[in-house]
């Protein structure tokens, strides 16, 4: 039991230090120097690249359905995407996507 706790805490601490060192090597070592324009331009696209990577597996292979694609989740993702593109409003996209997720099963 004690060995399990020690192993878990060792893994948590090592992963935390690894994450910190990876971020520090890029951001902390720069200091007060200005970053090049191309790096700033690429960093602007990071959230746009990360969000689909986080959401796509949950839409295409949800654990709630045993990994089977669900029409309600696909519809909610499409409605959310369309609402976000058309309105440029995050809250509208969230609420319309949630409404689509809960109302789509009623249609089937």
């Amino acid at each position: 039991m004690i060995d399990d706790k020690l192993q878990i805490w060792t893994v948590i601490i090592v992963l935390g230090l690894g994450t910190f060192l990876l971020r520090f090597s890029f951001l902390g070592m720069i200091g007060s120097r200005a970053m090049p324009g191309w790096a700033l331009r690429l960093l602007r696209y990071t959230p746009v690249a990360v969000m689909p990577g986080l959401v796509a597996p949950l839409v295409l292979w949800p654990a709630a359905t045993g990994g089977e694609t669900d029409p309600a989740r696909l519809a909610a993702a499409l409605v959310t995407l369309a609402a976000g593109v058309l309105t440029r409003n995050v809250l509208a996209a969230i609420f319309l996507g949630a409404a689509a997720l809960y109302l789509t099963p009623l249609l089937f």
Side-chain angles (χ1 to χ4, degrees), residues 6 13-14 17-18 25 31 33 41 58 69 74 76 92 96 102 104:
L6 179 65
I13 291 169
V14 168
L17 285 172
S25 68
R33 290 178 280 175
R41 189 172 51 253
L58 299 173
T69 303
L74 285 175
L96 289 172
Y102 290 111
T104 303

Side-chain angles (χ1 to χ4, degrees), residues 60-104:
L60 298 175
W61 305 286
T65 61
E68 296 293 322
T69 303
D70 184 22
R73 284 177 175 79
L74 285 175
L78 292 174
V79 167
T80 303
L81 180 65
V85 169
L86 294 174
T87 66
R88 300 268 189 210
N89 186 338
V90 175
L91 291 177
I94 290 171
F95 289 126
L96 289 172
L101 180 63
Y102 290 111
L103 295 176
T104 303

Side-chain angles (χ1 to χ4, degrees), residues 32-69:
S32 61
R33 290 178 280 175
M35 291 182 70
W38 61 269
L40 292 173
R41 189 172 51 253
L42 291 176
L43 283 173
R44 263 187 255 141
Y45 297 108
T46 302
V48 177
V50 170
M51 286 306 290
L54 293 172
V55 173
L58 299 173
V59 171
L60 298 175
W61 305 286
T65 61
E68 296 293 322
T69 303

Side-chain angles (χ1 to χ4, degrees), residues 10-26:
T10 303
V11 169
I12 290 171
I13 291 169
V14 168
L15 289 175
L17 285 172
T19 300
F20 173 78
L21 291 174
L22 278 173
R23 292 173 190 215
F24 182 76
S25 68
F26 181 70

